Amino acid sequence: MNALELFKKVKAFVFDIDGVLTNGDVLILPDEHLIMARSMNTKDGYAIQMAIKQGFSVAIISGGKESGAEKRLEYLGIQHIFMGISDKKKCFDDYLQKSGLQQDSVLYMGDDIPDFEVMQTAGIRTCPADAVTEIKNLAQYISSFKGGSGCVRDVIEKTLKLQGHWPLHTTVKTI
């Protein structure tokens, strides 16, 4: 089954933050306080809002604990935000159980080793173009976009278009 066929089954999206919603860079400034500055792509944000408006569940599972990132995600309308998670697989399984979702209808996007166990079991496994090799080897779809540069928009837009939920009447070309 090709990736586009898998996207037709998606009912929920689960994303990592660093390396997926951001480019994974950390800005370090000479200061007495540690400043963890990151940036998120507005096109990814638009797609997340569109998915939520169309009734898709969107969740975040991250090892990071940045309150600024959490505020941004809440602003986008994401209700399932799990921060400071050391066992992403357990968190993913708990989220599925509490939400009543089947894992084969959940798209997961991760980029690095902490995502490995979730990537092994998620129904639809995706990653950004710049994910590590181990994650790329598990992915059923590798976005042509890097983390923080539209990879989230890529998978959401493809899914919504294939399911007839994208606001413009366009189609997805075969991969």
Side-chain angles (χ1 to χ4, degrees), residues 85-158:
I85 303 299
S86 58
D87 186 345
K88 289 185 175 187
K89 170 75 167 68
K90 181 179 180 335
C91 184
F92 181 76
D93 291 342
D94 290 348
Y95 165 69
L96 292 182
Q97 183 181 23
K98 289 176 185 170
S99 63
L101 292 162
Q102 300 298 315
Q103 76 182 37
D104 66 340
S105 67
V106 178
L107 180 148
Y108 184 84
M109 180 175 270
D111 71 304
D112 208 345
I113 300 304
D115 301 303
F116 190 83
E117 288 185 352
V118 179
M119 289 286 289
Q120 286 181 305
T121 60
I124 300 113
R125 302 177 304 274
T126 66
C127 69
D130 57 345
V132 299
T133 301
E134 294 86 352
I135 297 301
K136 285 181 175 180
N137 289 341
L138 291 174
Q140 295 159 297
Y141 175 77
I142 300 171
S143 175
S144 59
F145 298 91
K146 292 180 179 182
S149 297
C151 62
V152 169
R153 166 76 176 249
D154 180 36
V155 296
I156 292 176
E157 185 174 333
K158 279 181 173 52

Side-chain angles (χ1 to χ4, degrees), residues 32-67:
E32 60 188 58
H33 302 288
L34 178 62
I35 299 172
M36 302 288 278
R38 292 172 170 79
S39 64
M40 292 185 182
N41 186 295
T42 59
K43 290 179 179 74
D44 286 345
Y46 175 79
I48 287 169
Q49 289 179 317
M50 185 60 58
I52 292 168
K53 285 178 186 171
Q54 295 299 324
F56 290 82
S57 178
V58 177
I60 302 297
I61 302 176
S62 177
K65 300 177 191 175
E66 305 81 29
S67 61

